[in-house]
Amino acid sequence: MNILSYTVSVKDIVWITMRKRERRKVERFMNVQRRQENMIGLKAKLYHKQCHAEKIQMKKTIKMHEKRNTKQKNDEKTPQGAVPAYLLDREGLSRAKVLSNMIKQKRKEKAGKWEVPLPKVRAQGETEVLKVIRTGKRKKKAWKRMVTKVCFVGDGFTRKPPKCERFIRPMGLRFKKTHVTHPELKATFCLPILGVKKNPLSPLYTTLDVITKGTVIEVNVSELGLVTQEGKVIWGKYAQVTNNPENDGCINAVLLV
Amino acid sequence: MAATAADEAATRDVQRLLVQFQDEGGQLLGSPFDVPVDITPDKLQLVCNALLAQEDPLPLAFYVHDAEIVSSLGRTLESQAVETEKVLDIIYQPQAIFRVRAVTRCTSSLEGHSEAVISVAFSPTGKYLASGSGDTTVRFWDLSTETPHFTCQGHRHWVLSISWSPDGKKLASGCKNGQILLWDPSTGKQVGRALAGHSKWITALSWEPLHANPECRYVASSSKDGSVRVWDTTAGRCERILTGHTQSVTCLRWGGDGLLYSASQDRTIKVWRADDGVLCRTLQGHGHWVNTMALSTDYALRTGAFEPAEASVNAQDLRGSLQELKEKALSRYNLVRGQGPERLVSGSDDFTLFLWSPAEDKKPLARMTGHQALINQVVFSPDSRIIASASFDKSIKLWDGRTGKYLASLRGHVAAVYQIAWSADSRLLVSGSSDSTLKVWDVKAQKLSTDLPGHADEVYAVDWSPDGQRVASGGKDKCLRIWRR
């Protein structure tokens, strides 16, 4: 025998390891088979169910691949979304064109309930929303409160005389605009706020126009160009706030359609 | 007449001017004479009618230096520097004798289509109404009872464009598969063979004018594949193929002088000779797709031998021998055309319009800018004096039909304006928009006349019947609405 035949090169090592790997794969497969034969009872039933599902999936993918290779006759059904000739080469030009469903709105209004995206919000105590401000010569009086959440004040807002104003709304937390997302079109617009409709935490916060997560606000949608059935232009719609504005520095809301 | 007017004024101590009547073409009427400065349009009308020596007095509008005389001559001249020594030219324009009343209410909402209504057209006499839809059918509607008449199956894809022959006896419809079918409105059956040849969808159809051929034999079609085909409808075959455009041909017009105009997405408009298919001229100038075109004689070519002034309440078919119809159509065409050649206006995605005189010159007459979004449709008024352009910037702009000068903007829509249609007397304009409303505009006052809400979704097609009685509109909500006074 040649001495050289005993020395093993790198290439040989790779080849040997590959072969070992393959052998191990086969063994594993054999183990699987042995496992399958040894299973009984409920365990077997579940295992077989799983295998069956996998087999179906595999068959489906194979069929799909086959379909891709062969040419099929087109379906006789005409596609939806007919547009006139002048709109054919244009796609996605019209942004927020929405069909307002008047019947659904009327029904909702009659019921008095609104289906909102966030039905429940985290309860926040008064100490969290209103911070106690001590006043007086010795800072003993504690009847003033400062709002620690974002709020909305209207255009013609003037503070009450400082001596008798109980609730302070800091200027830094006053916001006029909100980023409203249309849920169906997935488009977001920056629209001015008209007012706060309802704050779920407390009616007190509603009167104070405090905006927290889950508050329903009214926004000016004249920018979107929506029209009712009678032909009137819609300029105000409700939206619900979806983030914590005091943490983010902006108000994000989703339009209620 | 002139003497009495002058006498009345002489008793009052008013400034007097020398005026000379002139018609639109520049021809002088009568000789210059004296009028007081505070003369009103009614008196001017009496004088002018007397000079014209017509049997029935015509309604006239008077213009001094492009400004209309509304209240009195003096008021109009206040803003302009007037030399009292020179003779003042007053241009008179005969208005349509008949008046079309504004439509105010929706008389019926015709359901029947199972997909969006894409195209709507009244026949040239206003007797029939046809609509093409995304459910591949063409439907004919009975206008006296406002109910469905016929449903024509045959297309296999959306019916994109429909066009009536000028004698009202045939309707051609083109679909998204490139097929053209012809229908008979009185029976609802297909006429002749299906015309197939285009490889992509049909963008526009245009018939040969009645005064060129009273049998209405030839129809031209343009398609996304960049070619224009002229079909012989009696033989059912393609007569000629005009290729030259490199991209989709968006609009097609068969002019009254034997020229065919085609506008394309390759930013050019090509002028072809209709009888032998030779390319005469290429009009270049636009910076983006050319979407739409209109000819100054469009309305006359569309209505053929039908005179809207003679319309009756019950629309009738055209009667008379082929020769009579041809002569009537030719006389109407010459009247609208006037002295010069046909004018063509084209609107494009580059937010501008161009006014061309294609039979004469390759250079445009005027470039009309002002829109802030792409222009979807341009239409000449039936008397070819005003051009209206509808754009995606929610406004409609009015331009002078002769010079291309800007006249006014009509605002009111809250979304893109898709289509517009003129009434037969050129006094009213109806527009359909993406915001699901139609609006009727008074062109003289340049204001909104009536708002017509009612559609539940975008309005895709609008048409005003040539007898002026009805407006039909169809849209994405699958129903066709008819509006009347």
Side-chain angles (χ1 to χ4, degrees):
Chain A
M1 266 202 283
N2 203 347
I3 302 173
L4 287 170
S5 67
Y6 285 102
T7 57
V8 184
S9 68
V10 176
K11 214 165 141 193
D12 286 336
I13 295 173
V14 171
W15 185 75
I16 290 166
T17 36
M18 293 305 282
R19 272 198 62 193
K20 279 193 185 162
R21 232 180 255 166
E22 280 183 299
R23 222 181 300 141
R24 274 186 225 132
K25 240 190 247 171
V26 172
E27 274 175 15
R28 240 180 276 140
F29 176 71
M30 298 299 287
N31 281 338
V32 162
Q33 265 204 322
R34 246 174 262 144
R35 217 191 301 152
Q36 254 179 335
E37 285 162 12
N38 285 345
M39 270 198 215
I40 48 171
L42 181 64
K43 222 183 188 181
K45 276 194 192 159
L46 293 172
Y47 183 73
H48 287 314
K49 200 169 167 190
Q50 190 191 5
C51 278
H52 185 56
E54 277 172 19
K55 190 174 172 188
I56 293 170
Q57 278 302 318
M58 186 62 82
K59 273 194 166 172
K60 272 193 189 163
T61 39
I62 291 170
K63 217 175 185 181
M64 248 172 30
H65 279 288
E66 275 175 18
K67 234 189 191 174
R68 191 184 56 174
N69 292 333
T70 59
K71 283 210 169 126
Q72 298 245 328
K73 198 168 98 159
N74 278 337
D75 265 343
E76 283 305 315
K77 260 190 353 186
T78 51
Q80 298 242 329
V83 278
Y86 51 81
L87 288 178
L88 268 175
D89 281 326
R90 305 181 194 284
E91 279 173 26
L93 239 191
S94 57
R95 307 186 312 172
K97 214 255 126 223
V98 160
L99 179 64
S100 66
N101 202 328
M102 291 303 293
I103 304 167
K104 239 201 250 175
Q105 294 257 6
K106 282 208 184 109
R107 244 186 256 152
K108 263 193 225 163
E109 273 168 53
K110 262 200 214 159
K113 265 196 283 183
W114 285 82
E115 252 180 47
V116 283
L118 302 175
K120 284 205 201 117
V121 288
R122 182 179 75 88
Q124 296 177 28
E126 209 180 272
T127 46
E128 195 182 326
V129 179
L130 302 170
K131 184 177 146 189
V132 176
I133 302 280
R134 291 189 161 270
T135 54
K137 197 173 184 185
R138 293 185 209 93
K139 299 281 190 270
K140 261 176 64 174
K141 299 187 179 199
W143 55 274
K144 278 195 181 208
R145 298 282 182 277
M146 185 175 79
V147 176
T148 58
K149 307 282 174 188
V150 159
C151 51
F152 169 73
V153 294
D155 265 340
F157 173 73
T158 354
R159 287 169 58 192
K160 280 228 277 276
K163 192 174 165 98
C164 51
E165 74 174 336
R166 199 165 147 212
F167 293 100
I168 301 172
R169 274 164 281 196
M171 279 173 69
L173 290 176
R174 292 184 201 161
F175 282 82
K176 285 199 197 141
K177 283 190 168 227
T178 147
H179 304 297
V180 184
T181 309
H182 194 287
E184 280 153 30
L185 300 171
K186 313 269 191 274
T188 312
F189 313 95
C190 189
L191 303 173
I193 306 175
L194 292 172
V196 170
K197 173 80 180 168
K198 187 163 172 54
N199 191 317
L201 296 174
S202 164
L204 170 67
Y205 304 146
T206 311
T207 53
L208 281 177
D209 289 340
V210 171
I211 299 179
T212 54
K213 183 169 180 176
T215 311
V216 175
I217 56 175
E218 198 170 355
V219 285
N220 182 346
V221 294
S222 52
E223 198 184 278
L224 303 182
L226 306 172
V227 176
T228 62
Q229 282 270 24
E230 283 91 56
K232 300 205 191 99
V233 180
I234 300 173
W235 67 284
K237 256 184 164 319
Y238 291 128
Q240 191 183 30
V241 177
T242 52
N243 72 329
N244 287 315
E246 66 275 3
N247 296 339
D248 300 328
C250 63
I251 308 175
N252 297 339
V254 71
L255 200 66
L256 301 176
V257 281
Chain B
M1 280 280 180
T4 49
D7 282 343
E8 278 173 21
T11 53
R12 284 172 284 139
D13 210 9
V14 195
Q15 193 190 11
R16 305 178 64 84
L17 283 173
L18 270 176
V19 294
Q20 164 86 63
F21 283 121
Q22 207 181 51
D23 84 347
E24 289 170 304
Q27 281 191 322
L28 304 174
L29 176 73
S31 57
F33 56 90
D34 229 9
V35 288
V37 156
D38 61 353
I39 194 166
T40 58
D42 312 330
K43 297 224 183 80
L44 277 173
Q45 201 167 305
L46 286 170
V47 173
C48 204
N49 273 319
L51 284 171
L52 285 169
Q54 297 246 336
E55 284 177 0
D56 308 306
L58 285 174
L60 300 162
F62 298 95
Y63 292 82
V64 170
H65 296 154
D66 291 338
E68 193 180 343
I69 302 176
V70 180
S71 49
S72 79
L73 184 56
R75 286 272 166 74
T76 321
L77 294 176
E78 258 167 37
S79 48
Q80 304 167 12
V82 166
E83 292 202 6
T84 48
E85 311 242 320
K86 280 207 262 184
V87 177
L88 192 68
D89 284 324
I90 296 186
I91 299 170
Y92 67 91
Q93 280 182 2
Q95 309 272 292
I97 305 168
F98 62 103
R99 266 200 107 83
V100 170
R101 289 209 191 90
V103 295
T104 50
R105 60 195 179 101
C106 176
T107 51
S108 62
S109 159
L110 303 166
E111 315 219 356
H113 280 296
S114 48
E115 278 285 334
V117 178
I118 300 176
S119 47
V120 161
F122 277 101
S123 75
T125 53
K127 183 165 181 210
Y128 305 107
L129 173 63
S131 65
S133 141
D135 64 357
T136 75
T137 59
V138 172
R139 281 175 197 249
F140 288 99
W141 308 87
D142 183 12
L143 287 173
S144 36
T145 54
E146 294 186 350
T147 49
H149 212 30
F150 296 113
T151 303
C152 311
Q153 319 256 11
H155 280 294
R156 286 204 292 276
H157 213 310
W158 309 339
V159 179
L160 287 178
S161 62
I162 55 177
S163 175
W164 286 93
S165 65
D167 61 357
K169 297 221 174 73
K170 281 185 277 206
L171 175 80
S173 61
C175 81
K176 196 162 184 287
N177 279 338
Q179 209 188 28
I180 303 170
L181 298 175
L182 297 157
W183 310 94
D184 180 9
S186 46
T187 58
K189 298 258 182 305
Q190 192 181 335
V191 169
R193 245 188 303 160
L195 309 172
H198 280 294
S199 53
K200 294 208 193 128
W201 67 76
I202 309 280
T203 50
L205 293 164
S206 184
W207 287 83
E208 188 176 17
L210 194 70
H211 62 83
N213 183 352
E215 289 169 28
C216 297
R217 200 169 153 188
Y218 292 102
V219 64
S221 66
S222 66
S223 154
K224 172 131 170 84
D225 62 8
S227 68
V228 172
R229 281 173 190 248
V230 179
W231 306 87
D232 183 347
T233 53
T234 42
R237 62 190 173 89
C238 178
E239 191 68 33
R240 213 161 280 116
I241 308 177
L242 312 173
T243 52
H245 282 295
T246 51
Q247 286 193 8
S248 157
V249 184
T250 49
C251 194
L252 184 68
R253 285 276 184 272
W254 201 318
D257 286 340
L259 290 172
L260 208 61
Y261 307 97
S262 61
S264 157
Q265 278 178 2
D266 64 1
R267 295 152 29 224
T268 62
I269 299 169
K270 289 194 192 282
V271 183
W272 315 81
R273 248 208 313 262
D275 27 353
D276 50 6
V278 166
L279 173 65
C280 295
R281 222 168 254 118
T282 304
L283 308 174
Q284 290 174 326
H286 275 298
H288 207 310
W289 300 351
V290 186
N291 287 331
T292 172
M293 266 195 320
L295 281 173
S296 55
T297 50
D298 252 346
Y299 206 77
L301 293 173
R302 175 202 169 170
T303 45
F306 173 67
E307 177 59 56
E310 294 163 14
S312 57
V313 175
N314 276 332
Q316 301 295 325
D317 266 329
L318 288 172
R319 257 171 295 191
S321 74
L322 287 178
Q323 191 58 30
E324 283 175 21
L325 292 177
K326 181 173 172 170
E327 279 166 23
K328 263 171 117 177
L330 188 61
S331 66
R332 284 199 66 230
Y333 170 73
N334 283 329
L335 187 69
V336 180
R337 200 184 119 165
Q339 312 299 92
E342 281 179 335
R343 291 181 304 280
L344 177 76
V345 65
S346 61
S348 150
D349 259 24
D350 66 358
F351 310 172
T352 63
L353 300 110
F354 273 107
L355 185 64
W356 316 84
S357 181
E360 285 182 344
D361 206 3
K362 243 182 8 172
K363 296 236 181 349
L365 293 174
R367 183 168 200 181
M368 297 123 90
T369 57
H371 274 297
Q372 288 161 332
L374 65 96
I375 293 149
N376 205 42
Q377 200 186 25
V378 261
V379 199
F380 260 97
S381 67
D383 59 3
S384 79
R385 284 194 196 121
I386 307 182
I387 300 170
S389 61
S391 154
F392 276 25
D393 70 355
K394 312 171 197 165
S395 73
I396 302 164
K397 287 197 195 280
L398 299 174
W399 317 81
D400 180 57
R402 213 151 305 235
T403 54
K405 203 168 74 98
Y406 168 76
L407 292 176
S409 264
L410 304 174
R411 289 182 201 280
H413 280 296
V414 292
V417 186
Y418 282 155
Q419 297 233 307
I420 44 182
W422 283 91
S423 68
D425 65 346
S426 314
R427 288 193 185 103
L428 298 165
L429 184 67
V430 67
S431 61
S433 145
S434 158
D435 66 2
S436 78
T437 61
L438 286 106
K439 293 199 192 314
V440 180
W441 309 88
D442 184 342
V443 171
K444 203 162 151 102
Q446 291 165 0
K447 269 194 335 184
L448 179 67
S449 162
T450 334
D451 200 3
L452 303 172
H455 272 287
D457 211 334
E458 304 188 11
V459 178
Y460 283 149
V462 177
D463 196 16
W464 205 314
S465 78
D467 60 6
Q469 286 182 31
R470 296 178 183 86
V471 170
S473 62
K476 202 166 166 190
D477 60 348
K478 307 171 195 166
C479 81
L480 188 76
R481 277 175 186 258
I482 298 191
W483 312 82
R484 297 188 65 179
R485 186 173 63 86

